[in-house]
Amino acid sequence: KKNKGFTLIELMLVVAIIGILAAIAIPNFLKYQCKAKQSEAKAQLGAIRTNQEAYYGEYDTYSNELDKIGFTLKGSTRYFYSMVSADESAFEAKAEASFNSAPDVWTINQNSELINVSSACT
């Protein structure tokens, strides 16, 4: 009578293959997850720019205060948003966060130049 089942070597081989696949997939997954988190900063900085342009249209200057331009955050956010500078001709807003103990910093200005100053996704 023949016994049916898996040998220990077959099981070890399957575990080794799963380990190799995980070693390849997990870093890629973490990178894509980080990039997905960055989409929040891009969207919110775009909203700040839109609000700044509306404020500029009414007052002929940009504001240093996010509340004055009508920018409010809803729900929980991963980034901290602030105005770096603003005057009658230019502004710069910044979004800052930390992922995997690495800083992630984005800025936007009056020309819609969205810049990743420091990326946590590398």
Side-chain angles (χ1 to χ4, degrees):
K1 185 175 176 181
K2 188 172 184 180
N3 291 334
K4 296 194 179 213
F6 298 106
T7 66
L8 183 59
I9 292 175
E10 290 171 331
L11 288 175
M12 288 176 57
L13 185 61
V14 169
V15 169
I17 291 171
I18 290 172
I20 291 168
L21 291 175
I24 294 169
I26 290 173
N28 286 336
F29 171 74
L30 294 175
K31 184 177 179 180
Y32 288 121
Q33 185 182 35
C34 187
K35 294 243 183 235
K37 290 176 183 177
Q38 286 180 335
S39 66
E40 174 198 323
K42 294 175 188 178
Q44 296 295 354
L45 287 173
I48 289 172
R49 184 194 178 284
T50 301
N51 289 10
Q52 280 284 23
E53 291 303 327
Y55 187 88
Y56 184 84
E58 190 170 339
Y59 299 104
D60 289 330
T61 189
Y62 294 108
S63 176
N64 264 323
E65 300 176 35
L66 293 175
D67 291 342
K68 275 190 178 179
I69 63 171
F71 178 76
T72 56
L73 293 168
K74 295 179 180 152
S76 62
T77 60
R78 293 177 176 90
Y79 286 82
F80 173 73
Y81 300 93
S82 62
M83 292 302 303
V84 176
S85 63
D87 57 28
E88 51 281 333
S89 62
F91 78 89
E92 184 177 20
K94 179 167 59 171
E96 296 177 273
S98 179
F99 303 132
N100 304 324
S101 69
D104 196 54
V105 181
W106 290 82
T107 62
I108 194 166
N109 62 22
Q110 72 283 351
N111 298 323
S112 296
E113 294 170 338
L114 186 63
I115 301 167
N116 190 200
V117 177
S118 175
S119 181
C121 297
T122 55

